[in-house]
Amino acid sequence: MTDLAPNIIGAPSSTSDGAEGAPSDGKSKALTGGRFDRWTQKRWFLPLGEVVVSVVVALGFMLLCTHISVNPVTRIGQVSGLAKVQQYAALVGIPVLAVLLFLAYRGTLRYYQVAQRLVCAALAGLATGIVAGGVAVALNGTPWGLGGQEGDPGNLMGMANDMMRHKGLPGVYPPLFPALLALWAKVFHNGIAGVGHALKDLQLILSALVGPMAYLGWRLLLRPFWAMAIAVPASIVFLDPIRPYSHGSMLVLLPLLAACFREIRRAETLSTRSTVLRGIGFGAAFGVMFLWYSGWYLWAAPGAFVLALLLFPWRRGRTAVKRAVLFLGTILFTAAVIGAPLLYQLVRLGATTKDRYAYINTYIDPAYVLGWASDRAGDLTYHNFPVSGELAGQTGFSVLLLLGVGIGVGLGLRNIVVRTAGFVLAGAWLLRFWFASHMEHNQAVQLYPRTTWIIYYCLIILAVLGLMLTYQRGFGWIRGTLKEVAPGRAARISPRAMSQLAAGLICAIALFATMGGSWSANRFMPSTNPGVEDLGLDALRAHQQQLDNGKCPKYSPDKGKKACKPINMRLSEYTFEPDKGRLWCANTSGETRDLVCGRPPEKN
């Protein structure tokens, strides 16, 4: 693999005119020999190496940052902590990138190819390891996780406590994370008494693992460079350390859907045994993810359903149809069996569950999908967020992103990843405006602002694939030109030059990962702006929660002033208040609330 990996592994590659060619296996054609090459040629060795490297870097870096000793409640302490995180990132990253650059310029091609795979995996882990490390700094001195015992963290602790008391979960919340939280608390933190401490552990661990999860998901379809090019920015942008499991599932769902559609398209080439085994594997993955966090299935469903109908081999003969039906049937059956507990709750209660929680993202222009303010909006209001750009309100970044999307769709409509991202985007777009357009009449939000994330994610995917396809077509054109200029001579671009280009771009993405990771972590530093509810409020609450001995945490701003909030061991899942049939408006108060939300329609 001497180029930037333009082709999707296992999918048909494209010629310069866009026609489908032979499948690409993603394997290097370099000559092999010796013990090193014998190991690296084993089918499982390098993929396992990528998994191990990515996970070890992510968790190892987060654990390293837990040893940073600063006062995170003061701004100077926060700055010093963020600087130490960057120092660690440089000490880890610079030697690794130096080795990659050396191999690109002086090493053998085979060694460079192996190093590139491992470095890309490491950078995916380092990106979210930096965010998790920054959150560890923000929580230095307190055993509590983001949020303390309030808000969504308090609800999650209540669910876990109910599980430990052998009670069922009310409502339709996915049960797998609360179950993991309960198990972690029992094993490492003495059960119910330590569920809040267990939540901190899982917030840090799962935040660190979001990058590896996204990267390894895209490695099902893309070569290392392009998998990293999607995973690194997407992981940093969408990572929510308070609930890292939710967005991690979204980042994995899209590549998993694309890989599933790839199998449908080539179903006739598979044996019955292979079809069933693959169906069980995909079904198990979808079922577990459904129990982990199910919300993204709703927004992806319309586009995925239409694309499945279009890709189904209706006209390829009886064998192809039978294999595809067997594959899809096995997936649906396996996923339904695993996801049965939550499916039952959705069928029983889903139609009666109304989301009436309105906040800043329900007040802004619904066509804006390139940013998120959350209900911890700070000083932001729908009057100053989002910032209006220069071209019909669109910023330069928006225009460049959409340009990449257009190129991706234009050059890669035969590409299964382009199709998957495009159809999911279109389906989520239509659902978004369906729910938003009925919001006033129904007095229900139905979580439609969350489509922002999956639409934005699809745009990032399409833009990166646009770059990939531009590279592919551009160098295809150059090769064709070289053949015309020098017929009979080998028309090729030096593999060494391509290795050097790829190494340079990897260095640039590494720099983005460190800068973006620090930006993300900085948002969750304990709030130093009294009276303003920003994202730092959750870290501040962790420093305002009592310890087991009744005292305040080490760096609590309440020490010597007033007692910290007492520990509530009777936390339980939130109870459903009587439905008043109207929106509950956050980020507003008094007369502003009436101006923003109005009143429900008068009943005749």
Side-chain angles (χ1 to χ4, degrees):
M1 183 173 55
T2 60
D3 54 22
L4 298 184
N7 299 322
I8 295 177
I9 298 174
S13 59
S14 299
T15 61
S16 58
D17 61 357
E20 292 186 353
S24 168
D25 60 7
K27 295 179 181 178
S28 170
K29 306 303 181 182
L31 296 176
T32 60
R35 180 177 300 178
F36 173 81
D37 291 309
R38 285 197 298 271
W39 275 105
T40 57
Q41 286 298 312
K42 293 180 182 294
R43 188 174 183 179
W44 55 268
F45 184 79
L46 287 178
L48 179 61
E50 289 179 77
V51 173
V52 171
V53 167
S54 190
V55 170
V56 168
V57 169
L59 294 180
F61 191 85
M62 180 273 292
L63 291 172
L64 179 64
C65 292
T66 60
H67 296 285
I68 297 175
S69 180
V70 295
N71 180 352
V73 179
T74 66
R75 186 55 188 165
I76 292 298
Q78 295 170 10
V79 172
S80 295
L82 290 170
K84 196 66 175 180
V85 171
Q86 291 297 301
Q87 180 184 348
Y88 286 160
L91 292 175
V92 172
I94 289 176
V96 171
L97 295 175
V99 170
L100 183 69
L101 287 170
F102 173 81
L103 293 175
Y105 278 84
R106 298 291 184 183
T108 64
L109 181 61
R110 180 62 181 163
Y111 287 169
Y112 169 78
Q113 292 167 348
V114 174
Q116 188 195 65
R117 292 183 66 165
L118 299 180
V119 169
C120 288
L123 287 181
L126 183 63
T128 48
I130 289 173
V131 181
V135 173
V137 172
L139 298 176
N140 180 47
T142 176
W144 295 93
L146 293 173
Q149 287 188 324
E150 301 182 51
D152 287 346
N155 291 330
L156 291 170
M157 293 179 216
M159 295 180 197
N161 284 348
D162 283 348
M163 286 185 167
M164 285 187 277
R165 296 185 181 112
H166 306 290
K167 298 180 181 179
L169 292 181
V172 292
Y173 202 85
L176 200 54
F177 178 77
L180 175 62
L181 179 58
L183 177 63
W184 196 273
K186 289 182 69 173
V187 174
F188 298 106
H189 295 283
N190 301 315
I192 291 175
V195 68
H197 304 172
L199 182 61
K200 176 184 176 179
D201 292 349
L202 293 183
Q203 284 176 340
L204 295 178
I205 292 170
L206 294 179
S207 293
L209 291 178
V210 166
M213 288 170 58
Y215 173 78
L216 296 172
W218 284 110
R219 282 294 285 125
L220 295 172
L221 296 152
L222 302 177
R223 296 187 182 182
F225 178 86
W226 299 110
M228 179 193 63
I230 293 176
V232 167
S235 298
I236 292 175
V237 168
F238 299 117
L239 174 56
D240 178 9
I242 299 175
R243 295 167 297 273
Y245 56 92
S246 63
H247 291 74
S249 64
M250 181 193 74
L251 294 174
V252 174
L253 178 61
L254 268 293
L256 198 62
L257 280 174
C260 180
F261 291 137
R262 180 185 61 184
E263 299 303 316
I264 294 175
R265 192 166 63 173
R266 63 182 187 183
E268 69 271 20
T269 66
L270 303 175
S271 66
T272 300
R273 181 175 181 274
S274 178
T275 299
V276 171
L277 291 177
R278 289 167 189 255
I280 292 174
F282 278 104
F286 284 126
V288 170
M289 286 176 56
F290 182 72
L291 294 179
W292 188 244
Y293 195 80
S294 58
W296 309 115
Y297 284 78
L298 170 64
W299 310 120
F305 178 75
V306 173
L307 183 57
L309 291 178
L310 294 176
L311 292 177
F312 194 85
W314 303 102
R315 300 181 180 180
R316 295 185 188 176
R318 180 179 299 179
T319 301
V321 171
K322 289 174 62 177
R323 291 284 191 276
V325 169
L326 179 61
F327 178 67
L328 289 174
T330 306
I331 289 176
L332 294 175
F333 178 79
T334 306
V337 169
I338 293 175
L342 183 56
L343 282 173
Y344 171 74
Q345 290 292 84
L346 287 171
V347 171
R348 189 170 68 92
L349 301 172
T352 62
T353 302
K354 296 291 185 182
D355 167 41
R356 304 193 189 277
Y357 182 58
Y359 52 109
I360 185 172
N361 287 285
T362 56
Y363 311 145
I364 65 174
D365 174 11
Y368 180 74
V369 293
L370 298 182
W372 183 262
S374 90
D375 57 353
R376 299 279 192 268
D379 295 320
L380 296 178
T381 71
Y382 68 93
H383 296 292
N384 57 25
F385 175 81
V387 177
S388 182
E390 304 82 4
L391 184 63
Q394 307 308 305
T395 63
F397 167 74
S398 301
V399 174
L400 290 175
L401 182 70
L402 295 176
L403 176 62
V405 170
I407 294 172
V409 173
L411 297 181
L413 202 54
R414 289 189 177 95
N415 187 306
I416 197 64
V417 182
V418 171
R419 291 182 180 182
T420 302
F423 274 81
V424 169
L425 187 156
W429 188 265
L430 291 174
L431 281 180
R432 176 185 181 88
F433 291 109
W434 167 264
F435 286 118
S437 65
H438 288 75
M439 182 168 55
E440 182 186 29
H441 183 270
N442 296 337
Q443 288 291 294
V445 177
Q446 298 307 94
L447 302 176
Y448 91 80
R450 297 190 184 187
T451 57
T452 299
W453 287 313
I454 197 166
I455 291 172
Y456 192 7
Y457 186 31
C458 289
L459 291 174
I460 291 174
I461 294 167
L462 291 171
V464 172
L465 292 179
L467 292 174
M468 185 184 80
L469 293 165
T470 299
Y471 157 80
Q472 179 183 353
R473 297 292 181 90
F475 280 95
W477 178 82
I478 292 174
R479 292 187 183 98
T481 302
L482 291 176
K483 287 182 180 179
E484 294 179 1
V485 173
R489 299 179 61 183
R492 59 178 300 191
I493 300 172
S494 167
R496 178 73 66 184
M498 297 311 305
S499 299
Q500 294 165 0
L501 173 61
L505 292 176
I506 290 171
C507 290
I509 294 176
L511 185 58
F512 168 83
T514 59
M515 296 167 65
S518 187
W519 162 83
S520 182
N522 181 57
R523 298 177 301 158
F524 296 95
M525 288 294 167
S527 178
T528 56
N529 191 359
V532 176
E533 290 195 3
D534 53 20
L535 288 174
L537 178 62
D538 290 295
L540 183 63
R541 285 174 171 172
H543 289 277
Q544 294 175 321
Q545 193 74 48
Q546 279 184 1
L547 303 176
D548 293 339
N549 59 11
K551 297 182 179 180
C552 290
K554 181 178 180 180
Y555 299 110
S556 173
D558 295 335
K559 290 180 66 175
K561 301 177 183 178
K562 57 183 178 180
C564 287
K565 296 175 182 177
I567 298 172
N568 179 10
M569 292 303 179
R570 295 186 177 183
L571 280 169
S572 63
E573 160 65 342
Y574 53 85
T575 57
F576 295 103
E577 296 181 359
D579 190 351
K580 298 179 181 180
R582 62 178 298 178
L583 295 176
W584 191 91
C585 293
N587 307 125
T588 62
S589 61
E591 294 181 0
T592 304
R593 180 171 299 178
D594 290 335
L595 290 173
V596 170
C597 285
R599 299 186 181 278
E602 296 292 335
K603 295 182 180 179
N604 295 328

